[in-house]
Amino acid sequence: VAKKAKVKLGFPGHFRVSEVPLAAGDPEPLAFDADLEVIGKRIPRVDGPDKASGRARYTFDLRLPGMLHAAVLRCPLPHARLRRIDTKKASSLPGVRAVLVLEEREYPYAGYEVAAVAAETLAIAREAVRRIRVEYEPLPFVTDPEAARSPGAPKVRPSGNVLSSAGSSRGDLETAFRAADASVELTFRTPVALHVCLEGHGSLARWEGDRVTVWDSTQAVFEVRDALARELGIPASKVRVIKDHAGGGFGSKLQMRSYTMIAARLARMAGAPVRLLLSREEDFLCTGNRHSSVQTIRIAGRRDGTLTALWWKAYGTGGVEGGAQTSGPIEGLYRFESLRVEEEDVFTHAGPACPMRAPGHVQGVVGLEGAIDALCDELGLDPLEVRIRNDPSQLRREEFRVGGEKFGWSRRQAPGASPGPVKRGFGVAGTTWEGSGIPGPRVEIRLHGDGSVDVSCGTQDIGTGTRTILAQVVAEELGLEAGDIRVHLGDSHFPYSILSGGSLTAASVSPPARSAAFAARGELLELAAPLLGVRAEALETGRRQVRVRGTTRAVDWEELLRKAPGGAITAAATRGPNFEAYHPGTAGCQFAEAEVDVETGQVRVTRVLAVHDSGRILNPLLWESQVNGGIIQGISYALLEERVMDHRFGKVLNANMETYKVLGAMEVPRIEILPFPVAAGYNNTQVLGIGEPAIIPTAAAVANAVANALGVRITELPITPDRVIDALERAKEKQA
Amino acid sequence: VKAFEYAVPASLEEAAALLAGKKGRARLLAGGTDLVTQLQGRVAEPERVVSLGGLPHLDRIEPSAKALKIGPLASLTGIASHPEVRKVWTALAEGAGAAATPQIRNAGTLGGNLCQRPRCWYFRNEDFPCRKKGGEICYAIDGENKYHAIFGGDACRIVHPSDTAPALVAFGASLVAVSSTGARDVPAAEFFTMPETDVRRENVLAEDEILASVSVPRPAAGSRSGYLKIREKASFDFALVSCAAVLTFSGTACTAARIVLGGVAPVPWRCPGAEEILAGAPLDAMRIHRAAEAALSGASPLAKNRYKIAMAQAAVRRLLGRLIPS
């Protein structure tokens, strides 16, 4: 008979109690108001000292005896076929140990890999690459998505450059627009943006016999293992992928890219370990990006603030890769009686898009929230009130209210009413994201006689603090401190876990960590029960001791574990399916204040208030760090970041950190974060992810604040000074 | 980086001889903040790099009753933080302090800042054989030209990237160029050259010449100066537009004015029309407005940089407004 547990779901004032199934051997879900010692505490990240002191080793820091360095020859043309290649002058260069010509003969974007060299130094490898003689046959290309949509454009895929997809559709759109008190139509444009991981992409490969180990800068050791095995034609059991620390991924390291395969092949050819680290330029051209979008949005509403109709026509390009949809957040955020979504994926001869922190949502919310504000301006309504009126989520409505009050939303002025030349405006936007975790990850734990614990899991800490939260969850269950727990991650030899993306990690690995600790604790108590002459149920664990509850009668772990085989207790648990949830994923909202200089066009974000929920907050310090990071990355996207392509030549002009501009410390505003604790359900820790929710509303809130300041809406991101000046001049001409 | 021979001369004369011996295939190294990136990007492939690091006394910053003498190896930080330079030659100190980042200002030198190569993304990209690199085309004119010049012709539309050059031109500084055969004085205004003179160079230095010193005359009594830089990021960013101004006042009346714009032309762009409007009367809002408009007269923006006109006018107005004696 399956056991059941009662859980309280919701948030203060809105609780309900529900019964959820309990898998055999699983602990009951942590109660919302449980009195906890380690979980929920501001514990500094356990690997912080290693990172601060340089002891933490990133892929870029690794050096093995006899290691060779690799460099890659990349096609300089946006579309070309290989006519001839001559590697003799590269092979004959002293110090060169292997030259690899890749099998592809047609290159779909500038920067695509053609050949690679392994040599004793990086300088020799790079020089050898320059000595490879290549003759390309230039092929027709198109990098501008608008041009790529027109008939007769050079084809990126044999099936054509446009892939249409119809999203949700309901209601009678035409009637709804006719019946509305007001409607507006706007076209929003968002740029191709880049992940800009501080640690670039790279891999180090070493063969021992027919087995290969790669140290890869990745968010997904098991995905890389399987993909590399496929590429090399060997069983996955012969591939080991390790990733100790990562300097950022943001989605760009969720899949194996060619550099891993090239390093492994060169290492096999040369009979020596090979390290291939991409330069910043290569990183920017070849390892993924956030797709662009052009969103034409028609929105209608009534005078009472009811949103009635939305017509969403959008396209975007992810270069040679698909997935350029932006309508994802619509359904989660606001109710529309009538809705039509039409989207197109446009393929171009440019580097591939890949997931980037809340893919599609960041772009889509810019359009959706911008359109709602434009409609509010048209109807003379308060954008915050309109959002609260149309938001189906009780949770987010409350967050909008609490945030608005804290932010001082009532001081918001009418659009453009702020006196110049530096005008101030307020903006707001909401977020919706799943992030509830998935079944599959397995965590193994070992209890030792000295009271320490080893925790192993094949998940990876991509800088979010996974090591620390797992230490906290295990320590809580065993009556230990986080410092007693050693957490081992990022190795495909450890028990399986999922990739670190989609804000899934905390919600997917903290429950099995707790279950494994719970099971180990049970075994420990069973060992202690006969010694203390009571039943296991009467016992509790403390630091290095098992006690009879309510007494001082105790037995040391050391003594107990001497009786265990090998002197340790080992237990493991696998993440089961989600159970009932209070709310679909996370809600949340952000408020921004911006100052716009109408003469110089400069925009400064002066204040952001973020209200977020993600179930139980395991560690407020790490949680706030994620929210800060999301906001900073979001402002950067709103104001600065844009990959610039010269479509005449199909070449990226700013594949560097001088002209691909990223927000600096001086542009970071005052950030206030209001955590909104929720009894979320879903899993036994009741944790949800916060990584992606934190970036989703930022750019939209900033763009809305700029529009509120100016009384003129800038619908193209990033909002750079030239765009502000041009938009104000256009508005002036229109008036005149 | 292409392999090169590295020379560390003990005197300026020796350095000049080392340059002369390579006939244009040698490059000078001071702070290295620009040259190293040129080498890495293969924008420069010299056979010899001549380091000035070993030369004594080239980093002096010496104000006197007549002029401020600065050695080419003086750091931007040294200039920006020098109390007397800040007080008397304010526009220069502000320009030096507005460049790059603290770290780069510590390593970067005045000579390097004046002789740095342009930031144009076609010039800096090995794959674009632009006119500045001996090719036939200025890719910016019909291309991505948001950061490019709004003054100038069809030869090349770079902007001069220096934050110290506009102030030096405004102060009427004079530069000394030495070669293995002698030395010559060059006024700052004539030091920088338009692409029409020689598209491959941004200044008058010959292949074997070294910028050996800078002399900035002490401004007349009653002078005030400043530098205003408008950029996309508050740090680590080149100017979209900038403005250096040196104004001399008698009471509230402006008796002389020098206005020089940065970020708008291949050279620091002097604005005689604006200067004429400003000299001879008290500065009021109307006069400042007219001067700002005059400063940008004759601009011929490209498709994506028209905004620079309004922005540069704003820079002129803001800076002048700041310099009016209270």
Side-chain angles (χ1 to χ4, degrees):
Chain A
V1 180
K3 287 209 291 185
K4 295 213 166 202
K6 279 195 162 57
V7 271
K8 198 158 77 172
L9 301 177
F11 60 94
H14 302 272
F15 281 123
R16 61 181 159 86
V17 176
S18 188
E19 236 179 21
V20 298
L22 206 57
D26 250 15
E28 291 204 3
L30 273 181
F32 178 72
D33 37 18
D35 187 15
L36 303 174
E37 299 285 329
V38 195
I39 287 178
K41 298 292 186 289
R42 304 178 74 86
I43 292 171
R45 52 180 83 221
V46 293
D47 44 9
D50 280 350
K51 289 186 171 184
S53 65
R55 278 195 304 272
R57 293 281 160 208
Y58 295 78
T59 301
F60 270 57
D61 298 318
L62 299 174
R63 275 164 189 76
L64 294 179
M67 183 181 86
L68 304 175
H69 303 260
V72 178
L73 172 70
R74 295 183 180 278
C75 177
L77 302 171
H79 190 199
R81 194 175 292 134
L82 184 69
R83 273 209 193 111
R84 228 164 273 120
I85 185 161
D86 179 355
T87 60
K88 275 198 275 320
K89 283 191 173 143
S91 310
S92 62
L93 191 67
V96 169
R97 298 274 296 275
V99 178
L100 169 68
V101 177
L102 293 152
E103 286 73 18
E104 287 94 332
R105 288 294 177 265
E106 192 174 319
Y107 312 116
Y109 60 88
Y112 202 86
E113 57 277 357
V114 175
V117 173
E120 283 157 16
T121 69
L122 185 57
I124 295 173
R126 286 188 174 154
E127 181 56 33
V129 159
R130 295 182 78 88
R131 293 186 181 203
I132 299 175
R133 290 284 154 261
V134 196
E135 200 183 310
Y136 298 102
E137 176 191 347
L139 298 173
F141 67 90
V142 60
T143 54
D144 178 359
E146 289 192 58
R149 294 169 83 214
S150 62
K155 277 191 177 176
V156 182
R157 293 190 172 190
S159 52
N161 296 344
V162 176
L163 188 64
S164 299
S165 57
S168 331
S169 180
R170 65 170 167 268
D172 179 349
L173 209 63
E174 301 307 320
T175 310
F177 277 112
R178 267 199 307 276
D181 291 325
S183 72
V184 292
E185 183 179 313
L186 302 94
T187 298
F188 294 87
R189 290 167 196 275
T190 66
V192 171
L194 303 168
H195 298 75
V196 200
C197 308
L198 273 187
E199 183 200 26
H201 292 66
S203 198
L204 163 57
R206 180 183 67 192
W207 288 83
E208 288 158 298
D210 62 352
R211 294 167 176 272
V212 65
T213 301
V214 300
W215 288 262
D216 206 57
S217 180
T218 181
Q219 298 172 241
V221 293
F222 287 94
E223 279 71 10
V224 171
R225 179 196 67 179
D226 294 348
L228 185 59
R230 270 195 308 276
E231 288 278 346
L232 297 173
I234 61 175
S237 63
K238 303 213 176 208
V239 180
R240 180 177 182 188
V241 180
I242 299 173
K243 191 227 65 83
D244 280 339
H245 297 280
F250 309 109
S252 67
K253 299 173 180 173
L254 287 170
Q255 55 185 302
M256 188 191 78
R257 293 224 182 258
S258 59
Y259 56 85
T260 308
M261 179 268 292
I262 292 171
R265 289 180 65 182
L266 285 171
R268 189 163 57 182
M269 290 167 75
V274 169
R275 192 177 72 169
L276 172 52
L277 308 177
L278 300 194
S279 68
R280 184 58 67 183
E281 184 186 9
E282 291 175 297
D283 233 67
F284 278 9
L285 294 179
C286 314
T287 63
N289 55 63
R290 185 189 287 287
H291 67 77
S292 70
S293 74
V294 178
Q295 309 164 31
T296 299
I297 300 170
R298 202 170 156 207
I299 186 171
R302 286 198 287 267
R303 222 166 272 123
D304 66 1
T306 308
L307 301 174
T308 56
L310 183 72
W311 188 4
W312 188 277
K313 287 174 73 164
Y315 69 91
T317 185
V320 293
E321 212 50 62
Q325 284 72 29
T326 51
S327 65
I330 300 172
E331 293 282 16
L333 276 172
Y334 305 109
R335 255 185 314 250
F336 291 91
E337 291 160 14
S338 303
L339 175 71
R340 189 186 303 163
V341 173
E342 298 158 46
E343 297 204 83
E344 284 177 8
D345 228 328
V346 181
F347 301 103
T348 53
H349 289 106
C354 72
M356 178 169 170
R357 204 171 187 175
H361 276 230
V362 170
Q363 298 93 314
V365 165
V366 167
L368 178 64
E369 297 285 29
I372 291 176
D373 265 30
L375 181 68
C376 290
D377 291 352
E378 185 73 20
L379 285 164
L381 296 174
D382 181 294
L384 184 59
E385 282 170 21
V386 167
R387 280 175 175 78
I388 291 170
R389 185 184 180 94
N390 293 278
D391 193 329
S393 160
Q394 185 175 55
L395 174 58
R396 196 169 35 241
R397 289 200 302 270
E398 190 60 23
E399 289 170 331
F400 273 130
R401 277 190 206 103
V402 170
E405 198 161 307
K406 177 94 180 165
F407 187 74
W409 183 261
S410 57
R411 295 199 307 275
R412 175 182 182 269
Q413 296 177 283
S418 169
V422 179
K423 295 186 166 214
R424 179 171 301 191
F426 285 4
V428 63
T431 163
T432 178
W433 191 256
E434 179 53 36
S436 54
I438 55 172
R442 186 165 176 82
V443 176
E444 187 182 276
I445 100 165
R446 268 176 298 151
L447 268 53
H448 303 282
D450 64 354
S452 71
V453 178
D454 282 297
V455 177
S456 305
C457 176
T459 186
Q460 41 279 307
D461 189 338
I462 56 169
T464 54
T466 306
R467 277 188 184 83
T468 309
I469 57 167
L470 291 186
Q472 287 178 265
V473 167
V474 169
E476 183 75 50
E477 200 57 36
L478 294 170
L480 301 175
E481 291 178 6
D484 298 329
I485 319 292
R486 290 178 296 264
V487 182
H488 312 278
L489 309 176
D491 188 333
S492 63
H493 274 187
F494 293 151
Y496 170 77
S497 186
I498 55 167
L499 47 75
S500 296
S503 304
L504 295 171
T505 307
S508 301
V509 299
S510 69
R514 183 162 174 258
S515 299
F518 179 78
R521 179 174 170 276
E523 282 196 38
L524 190 68
L525 299 189
E526 290 297 340
L527 279 178
L531 286 177
L532 292 165
V534 296
R535 283 156 45 113
E537 290 73 37
L539 297 174
E540 62 182 9
T541 49
R543 277 196 96 182
R544 293 178 195 148
Q545 280 195 332
V546 175
R547 272 190 309 271
V548 179
R549 196 174 287 121
T551 74
T552 53
R553 279 172 55 211
V555 55
D556 287 348
W557 282 34
E558 200 171 348
E559 192 184 334
L560 284 172
L561 285 162
R562 255 187 253 127
K563 300 181 190 312
I569 289 174
T570 303
T574 301
R575 169 70 150 80
N578 286 331
F579 52 68
E580 188 179 339
Y582 161 67
H583 185 271
T586 56
C589 59
Q590 291 181 9
F591 297 77
E593 177 189 82
E595 288 178 356
V596 190
D597 188 324
V598 297
E599 294 180 6
T600 66
Q602 289 165 300
V603 178
R604 207 162 70 88
V605 177
T606 46
R607 197 155 65 91
V608 171
L609 172 76
V611 189
H612 286 285
D613 59 275
S614 66
R616 180 185 311 284
I617 295 169
L618 291 172
N619 183 331
L621 205 55
L622 295 170
W623 189 85
E624 286 164 10
S625 179
Q626 292 250 37
V627 177
N628 281 328
I631 291 168
I632 291 167
Q633 203 169 20
I635 299 173
S636 193
Y637 175 74
L639 300 184
L640 290 167
E641 297 190 35
E642 177 173 26
R643 189 196 69 185
V644 178
M645 174 81 83
D646 188 325
H647 296 302
R648 298 172 301 168
F649 305 97
K651 304 271 288 181
V652 174
L653 296 178
N654 62 345
N656 59 65
M657 292 200 66
E658 175 197 341
T659 45
Y660 184 89
K661 298 183 186 186
V662 176
L663 205 77
M666 291 172 85
E667 285 91 29
V668 174
R670 200 171 102 212
I671 296 173
E672 261 183 284
I673 303 169
L674 283 187
F676 201 97
V678 171
Y682 276 121
N683 61 63
N684 76 35
T685 55
Q686 302 208 50
V687 171
L688 296 181
I690 188 62
E692 281 157 306
I695 194 178
I696 291 170
T698 313
V702 168
N704 281 344
V706 170
N708 175 238
L710 293 175
V712 171
R713 188 162 298 275
I714 293 165
T715 53
E716 182 165 13
L717 260 50
I719 305 175
T720 45
D722 56 310
R723 292 202 171 114
V724 172
I725 290 175
D726 289 348
L728 290 175
E729 287 192 351
R730 274 198 307 276
K732 215 186 285 170
E733 280 163 20
K734 220 165 129 188
Q735 253 177 6
Chain B
V1 177
K2 194 176 170 195
F4 54 80
E5 169 202 327
Y6 185 62
V8 186
S11 70
L12 264 184
E13 292 68 28
E14 194 190 331
L18 282 162
L19 286 183
K22 280 290 178 187
K23 295 191 170 30
R25 294 187 305 279
R27 296 293 299 273
L28 285 178
L29 172 69
T33 59
D34 183 23
L35 182 65
V36 171
T37 61
Q38 287 180 47
L39 296 174
Q40 287 172 337
R42 302 261 178 166
V43 172
E45 295 189 321
E47 292 172 8
R48 176 185 286 164
V49 169
V50 180
S51 170
L52 296 178
L55 302 189
H57 314 307
L58 287 184
D59 60 350
R60 63 194 176 143
I61 304 173
E62 289 171 3
S64 74
K66 283 173 69 179
L68 167 68
K69 301 263 189 207
I70 312 180
L73 297 190
S75 76
L76 296 176
T77 299
I79 296 167
S81 60
H82 193 287
E84 194 170 350
V85 178
R86 287 164 65 98
K87 191 161 164 250
V88 180
W89 293 274
T90 313
L92 179 60
E94 288 180 353
T101 65
Q103 200 178 16
I104 291 174
R105 291 195 293 273
N106 288 340
T109 64
L110 179 64
N113 190 261
L114 296 173
C115 298
Q116 64 182 308
R117 304 302 312 273
R119 306 307 307 178
C120 169
W121 46 26
Y122 295 102
F123 170 67
R124 292 270 166 177
N125 189 324
E126 198 190 352
D127 295 338
F128 289 97
C130 77
R131 295 202 67 208
K132 200 163 258 312
K133 290 180 286 195
E136 300 293 317
I137 302 167
C138 172
Y139 292 92
I141 287 175
D142 295 318
E144 293 298 328
N145 47 40
K146 164 181 166 178
Y147 296 119
H148 288 80
I150 52 172
F151 289 103
D154 292 341
C156 162
R157 280 287 183 133
I158 62 140
V159 294
H160 200 279
S162 170
D163 280 316
T164 55
L168 291 181
V169 173
F171 280 119
S174 128
L175 282 55
V176 178
V178 301
S179 68
S180 46
T181 54
R184 60 173 176 143
D185 283 343
V186 186
E190 292 165 28
F191 180 76
F192 303 100
T193 55
M194 289 293 280
E196 286 70 17
T197 306
D198 177 354
V199 72
R200 304 194 65 163
R201 313 184 71 83
E202 291 83 46
N203 57 55
V204 298
L205 288 178
E207 285 168 354
D208 62 343
E209 278 187 314
I210 300 172
L211 174 59
S213 87
V214 176
S215 172
V216 198
R218 184 174 278 270
S223 292
R224 297 163 69 95
S225 73
Y227 182 72
L228 191 148
K229 176 177 177 179
I230 297 176
R231 44 186 156 175
E232 290 177 318
K233 289 174 62 184
S235 177
F236 214 168
D237 205 4
F238 288 89
L240 295 170
V241 306
S242 69
C243 179
V246 181
L247 305 179
T248 308
F249 293 95
S250 172
T252 57
C254 174
T255 56
R258 288 283 192 99
I259 308 291
V260 182
L261 299 177
V264 298
V267 297
W269 193 255
R270 182 134 176 231
C271 308
E275 295 171 0
E276 244 169 69
I277 290 168
L278 295 171
L283 297 191
D284 56 28
M286 181 51 80
R287 192 173 291 274
I288 287 175
H289 185 82
R290 279 176 47 220
E293 290 204 327
L296 275 298
S297 72
S300 57
L302 303 167
K304 298 191 174 180
N305 64 10
R306 172 167 292 278
Y307 74 95
K308 282 194 176 189
I309 296 177
M311 184 183 277
Q313 287 172 346
V316 173
R317 288 195 306 268
R318 293 266 166 99
L319 180 60
L320 293 177
R322 208 175 82 192
L323 295 178
I324 295 176
S326 46

